[in-house]
Amino acid sequence: MEVDFFKDLETEIKEKLKGFGYPIPSFEELRKQHISATEAHLSYKHYDIKNLVLHFLTVTERRIPIKKWNIHISPQLKNRTEIVNLVTMLSKGEDVNPFLSKQVKGQHQNKKTDLLRFEWGIYHIHFEEGGKGDEMLFVYFDGNKAYLLDILLHEKNGAHHITWTNTDLIQILHDNWPHVISHMIFKTDNEEIVSQEERKTMRKKAANTSVTVADGTEYMPIGGGFTSSKHTQKAAINTLRMIRRTEELELIVLNNEHNINSRLLFNESNTNLNVKLELTDGLNLKVINTANKRSFEFDEPY
């Protein structure tokens, strides 16, 4: 039996990026983004596919799941009619990803990054498709609930307003739905406050920070944080898991050909066994026989 699950994984990821309508970066383009790459990195057997997986999972982290959301609206948005269209779309389970920043599609994800999303878990959604317009709606998603926080102006060079490091967004969550972020409380009597400028400087240097709200409650990064390369921490961890799981599944199949044959063919004498790796919409890995579409998940997903 011949299998190449890493080639399958590459194909699956490219198909999903294509389905999003996003460009597919080449391995060469991804290598250029790894500024700390050494000969050891480049000689790693799965170096290129690892970079592609990291890119894909980072992009996926920036997208909003398409589902029917239970909407919760903060007092700051009372009587703000601008939100009606987005509220309707979210509650009906329509795709609002076209309203995200066009940088979500960027091939250079550690340059066209969203550190507010990665550090605080808060999305910014434009009111016009293609990421157009200066006003943006800031939303925190949890489970099947969407917490609409506030509308802020796009922060530009020379602007006097603070957007990307505006801790008022965390304050709104704390004031209205503290239970949603209570698991990220570090302590409740903090007196040290990180200024907006300090936070902005630290973000530029790829440093995560805590946030202290008015009553002294200090929160760790509720979005999980980002890495030194400015990719989401969750994507970096799951990249390693996905690479390791792909490697494991390939070895399992090669070392258990007879058992795999019986499990996937079910004694169908006229069916050939052609095994490949498939990446589900839920980002789980499973082995399928392409001839009859039978699948076999060996244990819990990665």
Side-chain angles (χ1 to χ4, degrees):
M1 184 191 305
E2 292 184 6
V3 297
D4 189 346
F5 283 177
F6 281 96
K7 186 63 179 178
D8 294 340
L9 182 59
E10 176 188 343
T11 300
E12 290 281 294
I13 286 175
K14 289 181 177 179
E15 282 299 312
K16 291 191 182 300
L17 286 172
K18 182 179 178 181
F20 293 160
Y22 294 177
I24 301 169
S26 67
F27 286 148
E28 182 180 3
E29 289 170 326
L30 291 171
R31 283 185 176 217
K32 291 178 181 178
Q33 296 175 31
H34 194 176
I35 58 176
S36 62
T38 64
E39 287 300 319
H41 287 109
L42 298 175
S43 63
Y44 173 55
K45 184 179 179 181
H46 305 302
Y47 175 75
D48 285 327
I49 186 64
K50 176 176 174 289
N51 286 340
L52 180 63
V53 172
L54 178 59
H55 170 84
F56 169 70
L57 292 181
T58 299
V59 163
T60 303
E61 278 290 297
R62 297 180 69 171
R63 287 175 56 81
I64 298 172
I66 302 171
K67 63 168 75 173
K68 292 183 178 180
W69 295 97
N70 185 354
I71 307 297
H72 298 263
I73 301 174
S74 74
Q76 282 78 2
L77 295 172
K78 185 179 180 180
N79 300 323
R80 296 298 296 265
T81 58
E82 308 99 303
I83 69 174
V84 171
N85 182 52
L86 287 175
V87 167
T88 300
M89 293 182 70
L90 288 167
S91 61
K92 288 184 176 181
E94 297 177 9
D95 187 3
V96 299
N97 286 290
F99 293 86
L100 297 180
S101 167
K102 60 184 179 182
Q103 293 187 352
V104 176
K105 301 181 180 181
Q107 297 186 58
H108 202 317
Q109 279 296 307
N110 55 349
K111 184 177 180 181
K112 303 294 184 181
T113 190
D114 185 354
L115 300 186
L116 180 145
R117 159 68 186 91
F118 299 162
E119 189 173 21
W120 294 349
I122 296 172
Y123 291 77
H124 62 279
I125 309 174
H126 292 259
F127 292 101
E128 299 176 47
E129 289 194 29
K132 298 178 181 178
D134 288 335
E135 287 192 326
M136 302 170 293
L137 176 64
F138 286 77
V139 185
Y140 182 77
F141 295 96
D142 181 61
N144 67 342
K145 298 179 176 63
Y147 299 92
L148 280 56
L149 308 177
D150 205 353
I151 294 172
L152 299 176
L153 287 171
H154 199 292
E155 186 176 323
K156 299 178 180 179
N157 291 333
H160 297 294
H161 55 270
I162 300 294
T163 303
W164 310 123
T165 56
N166 192 328
T167 55
D168 288 346
L169 296 169
I170 307 295
Q171 185 72 55
I172 293 169
L173 271 172
H174 175 81
D175 290 342
N176 296 281
W177 309 285
H179 63 284
V180 176
I181 55 175
S182 61
H183 63 290
M184 296 306 294
I185 293 176
F186 180 60
K187 55 184 177 180
T188 58
D189 57 353
N190 187 44
E191 296 180 357
E192 296 181 10
I193 305 295
V194 178
S195 71
Q196 302 285 16
E197 283 304 313
E198 288 173 329
R199 194 179 305 279
K200 191 173 183 179
T201 298
M202 295 178 78
R203 280 227 185 125
K204 286 181 179 179
K205 295 180 178 180
N208 292 275
T209 57
S210 62
V211 174
T212 301
V213 293
D215 66 2
T217 303
E218 182 181 5
Y219 289 98
M220 299 304 289
I222 62 176
F226 47 84
T227 67
S228 59
S229 64
K230 296 185 179 180
H231 290 90
T232 161
Q233 188 77 251
K234 182 179 178 181
I237 293 171
N238 284 338
T239 293
L240 297 177
R241 288 177 177 170
M242 188 173 286
I243 293 296
R244 184 174 63 247
R245 186 61 179 151
T246 301
E247 205 163 34
E248 289 174 350
L249 288 174
E250 190 170 272
L251 284 173
I252 290 171
V253 169
L254 290 173
N255 293 332
N256 296 274
E257 182 174 351
H258 177 73
N259 292 333
I260 302 301
N261 186 79
S262 62
R263 292 294 296 270
L264 292 182
L265 290 184
F266 289 82
N267 298 318
E268 297 178 21
S269 57
N270 295 325
T271 304
N272 295 319
L273 182 64
N274 183 18
V275 173
K276 72 180 287 286
L277 188 73
E278 186 174 273
L279 180 62
T280 70
D281 289 339
L283 302 184
N284 296 323
L285 296 171
K286 66 179 182 180
V287 175
I288 68 166
N289 178 22
T290 59
N292 60 13
K293 303 302 181 183
R294 296 191 189 279
S295 65
F296 182 37
E297 297 182 43
F298 294 90
D299 51 30
E300 294 184 2
Y302 86 96

